[in-house]
Amino acid sequence: MRLSNCFFITRREFPNDEDTLSAKYLIKSGIIYKNDKGVYTYLPFGFKVVENIKKIIRDEFYKINANEVIMPSLVPSRVFDDTGRKELFDLEMYNLIDRNNREYSLCPTSEELFAMLSKNKIMSYKDLHFTLFQIGNKFRDEESLKCGISRKKEFIMADAYSFDANDGGADISYDKMYLAFKNIFTKMGLSTMVVRSDAAYMKGLSSEEFQVLSEYGDNSVVKCTNCTFTSNIEDADCKNKYKLYSDKLDRKELINTHGLTDVLELSKKLNIPVSSFIKSFIFKVNGDYKMILLRGNSNININKLKRLFNTNDIIVPSSYELEKIGTVDEYYGPIDCTMEIIADNEIKSLINAVVGSNKKNKHWINICPNKDFKVDRFADVKLFDENSVCPKCKAKCNILKGIEVGHIFKLGDNYSEIYDLKYTDEKNEINYVHMGSYGIGIDRCINSIAECYHDENGILWPMAVAPFKVGIIIANVNDHDTFKYAKALYDKLNSIGIDCLLDDRKESIGVKFNDMDLLGLPIRITVGQSLQDKEVEFKLRNSIVTEYVSCDEIINKIKETIEENSWN
């Protein structure tokens, strides 16, 4: 591609409406264009990055004999009604009505479609195993749009689905895809941490995420400092590390707290540790009010509540609703409470606690669970935090920021039961098919690469995903010999399969250097005055060193450099 006649947009300043460095660099370098919050266009250079990533994914999927298909993005909404996932996705799913008053949805994922398709093939055990995949656009009405192209309303995803006769076969498919994912991310230059995750919203049995650690990550992940435990923070189990430090029960007392409602302020005022407070939350679960209790230094994990009650129908009542049922906002507590009370496991060992009294400006002190109020059940409803310990070895854990680039699921026979996806085995017995689901977010991969590989001048694209492997700068386009040699080198490199960009614009050399750094192509060749000595300038984007290489050796030098900097 020649820069003089291509659609090329760069900016001299960062956009002021993006929070992450990756989005700022991607926009500044002309990889993407922002249409709206969560809506972006891939410009020509960005398109090439997308296509390079797709090729990496296809190459690895083909190695495990996966077959590619193209599925529709617009499907009848009843597809998701059958599995109950329309309710699970809730407001994230785009729904519309066509001219015949039929309801359609834009696919956020495609497990249902692949299960329905496979039913047309699978009759006997001889029809198994196989894996299908697609690379296409998905849609979700994301609530948070602060992470650049990691959180898009329309996103590009490679999703694969395996079909096996039993758990053993499904495990083999899962392991093959796990290794394929590792190879894919390695070829992109991404180092990933695999963490346990919640499979509920995919109606799965278990799942793992591939996370790229980044300070701008939109996920929090837990990593033990002692053992191999890793988990998405929302799926990390919290073990009760508290022991009953005393069996002395002080006298229960109602005290005036003078309008203080904040736990930290109350702790300071009363000289009582925050961990000795009980925070009370009221939620409406499937229409019924529930009180949830946690220690004062803990936060609630809504996903754990959803799993506990097996529902997505969990809302926070308004102050008006709470007043109608007889509670005093910011002062309610468990004593004399008539609704069901669920307490976090860490409440079990708490005595002489401080709780709300349901009276304005009043709190109870020296309260003991199951003595002064009844707990209907204890459960792990706490969000893992810096005070939590590893659920495996009880060591300290680090909480890190990450960008999820891939997700793999064991689905078991959940979808097969819904769609009656069965086969006849060797004994002529009928069994359900076992499925796996595997997804890679291509936008998230690009975002992660830009986060991991950049400096103050722009992005440093890894060789395998770079829009071009080589950028050739003509120092003076008006010099006939310089232009002729640069054009010949450009043509030669492209003819041997090395994707090359030629900057033949009538711009100053400084502008050309700045734009080439901003674009982040791995290799820069400058054809200028040194051509008189039959040499050209050779520079790697990730190096400050400029070499002078003879014109006879430059192509071999480029080939060797590409080979050395490619992950196989």
Side-chain angles (χ1 to χ4, degrees), residues 85 88-89 140 198-204 404 407 409 415:
R85 289 212 297 168
L88 280 172
F89 281 113
R140 288 186 190 173
D198 180 21
Y201 79 99
M202 299 296 274
K203 299 188 79 68
E404 179 193 337
H407 209 150
F409 298 85
Y415 288 87

Side-chain angles (χ1 to χ4, degrees), residues 417-446:
E417 287 188 10
I418 293 169
Y419 291 106
D420 202 32
L421 182 58
K422 299 176 181 177
Y423 72 95
T424 304
D425 66 15
E426 299 96 322
K427 299 177 181 178
N428 210 32
E429 295 177 350
I430 296 175
N431 301 279
Y432 285 112
V433 174
H434 290 248
M435 288 179 59
S437 171
Y438 320 91
I440 293 176
I442 291 176
D443 309 280
R444 286 177 162 269
C445 291
I446 294 172

Side-chain angles (χ1 to χ4, degrees), residues 213-229:
L213 297 182
S214 166
E215 63 178 301
Y216 290 101
D218 58 337
N219 284 254
S220 294
V221 295
V222 176
K223 187 177 189 301
C224 181
T225 57
N226 179 60
C227 73
T228 59
F229 175 76

